[in-house]
Amino acid sequence: KEVHVKYENRKLYVSVVFESDYKPYIPRGIIALDVNLRAITTYNGSEVRRFKTRFADALTKRKRAEELQGKYPKRWRRNEKILNRIRSLHRRARNIAADYCWKIAKLVVLDARRKQHAIAVEDLEGLRESFNNKSDRVTWKLTMFSYRRLQHSIISKALECGVPVIVVDPRDTSRTCPRCGFARDRDSIGAVNIWLRALYAYMGCLSHSREPPR
């Protein structure tokens, strides 16, 4: 549909925009995703699965870059060796997160399409509010970058494959017990709660769509 061209710092960036019809199928089930820096936990109504992430590796490199900037607050912008090292660490952190996000997005979306499931993810704005009070700003920045990149990758792949996506409120998903007597780790609890909220939201949409016209 469009081609965007940008020239910056003697580099040429080209972005190609494609347009296609998004016709999601009616889902037979839901796969919910709970994301943190070390693992992605999924729940489909009966099974909990975990996928190890590389976000912590990216965070280590991002923190190292921040440490160099703090160690040489007046020199790092003018010292080519230090500046190149900082840029290299930031670039590697971004590349690690971006590469992992596309790989996990493909895995999750193709699995959802094979099972004819919808994918449930958390609302990023709610996540942003939950991280605003964190003292470690580097962790917060990398976490939000990773979450945004992952959600963008999943939604983009879902649009390509016609997989429905449900976005839910993330507040207290890891702290609210899904049912009495349910004892699991916080990631599993988070995934179950996301699944329940997505299910209620979907059922609510179905009920609303079946209401007789007034």
Side-chain angles (χ1 to χ4, degrees):
K1 183 180 179 181
E2 296 176 348
V3 176
H4 298 178
V5 180
K6 178 182 178 181
Y7 183 76
E8 183 179 359
N9 297 327
R10 295 187 295 178
K11 291 184 179 181
L12 190 66
Y13 300 88
V14 179
S15 174
V16 182
V17 180
F18 295 91
E19 183 178 276
S20 61
D21 292 331
Y22 176 51
K23 297 179 180 179
Y25 49 76
I26 297 175
R28 298 175 183 173
I30 297 171
I31 299 176
L33 275 66
D34 180 82
V35 182
N36 62 47
L37 283 175
R38 299 194 177 277
I40 294 175
T41 304
T42 69
Y43 179 69
N44 62 5
S46 61
E47 179 186 16
V48 173
R49 297 179 64 190
R50 284 182 175 81
F51 303 90
K52 185 178 178 180
T53 76
R54 297 194 63 199
F55 296 151
D57 186 18
L59 176 61
T60 299
K61 291 174 173 53
R62 183 73 176 264
K63 280 192 171 183
R64 178 55 182 156
E66 298 280 345
E67 289 170 359
L68 286 173
Q69 289 174 271
K71 185 177 180 180
Y72 307 102
K74 297 180 180 180
R75 291 176 52 199
W76 69 268
R77 288 184 177 88
R78 297 188 297 271
N79 187 300
E80 186 174 352
K81 183 177 180 181
I82 299 174
L83 181 59
N84 287 340
R85 176 61 176 161
I86 290 171
R87 285 175 172 170
S88 175
L89 287 167
H90 280 298
R91 183 170 58 251
R92 288 166 66 189
R94 289 193 301 269
N95 290 344
I96 287 171
D99 181 65
Y100 174 80
C101 287
W102 282 116
K103 287 180 179 178
I104 197 68
K106 182 178 180 180
L107 178 67
V108 170
V109 171
L110 292 183
D111 183 55
R113 186 177 66 175
R114 180 173 60 83
K115 297 175 180 177
Q116 294 290 284
H117 283 184
I119 297 173
V121 295
E122 295 176 289
D123 182 359
L124 288 182
E125 289 306 312
L127 284 174
R128 179 184 294 275
E129 292 175 5
S130 70
F131 277 102
N132 273 343
N133 296 324
K134 301 295 184 183
S135 58
D136 191 338
R137 304 300 294 177
V138 178
T139 300
W140 177 82
K141 288 179 182 178
L142 196 280
T143 301
M144 289 309 303
F145 168 80
S146 302
Y147 283 15
R148 283 195 300 268
R149 175 72 69 167
L150 179 61
Q151 190 171 100
H152 169 75
S153 302
I154 289 174
I155 292 176
S156 297
K157 193 65 179 178
L159 289 173
E160 177 188 336
C161 297
V163 176
V165 177
I166 304 172
V167 181
V168 304
D169 186 347
R171 287 178 293 182
D172 298 326
T173 52
S174 297
R175 293 182 296 208
T176 303
C177 183
R179 59 181 173 82
C180 183
F182 185 83
R184 295 290 190 279
D185 61 90
R186 61 182 291 124
D187 295 338
S188 298
I189 290 173
V192 172
N193 279 322
I194 293 168
W195 183 85
L196 287 171
R197 291 182 187 185
L199 179 63
Y200 294 151
Y202 180 67
M203 295 304 293
C205 288
L206 286 181
S207 298
H208 181 73
S209 65
R210 291 171 181 171
E211 289 182 359
R214 297 179 181 179

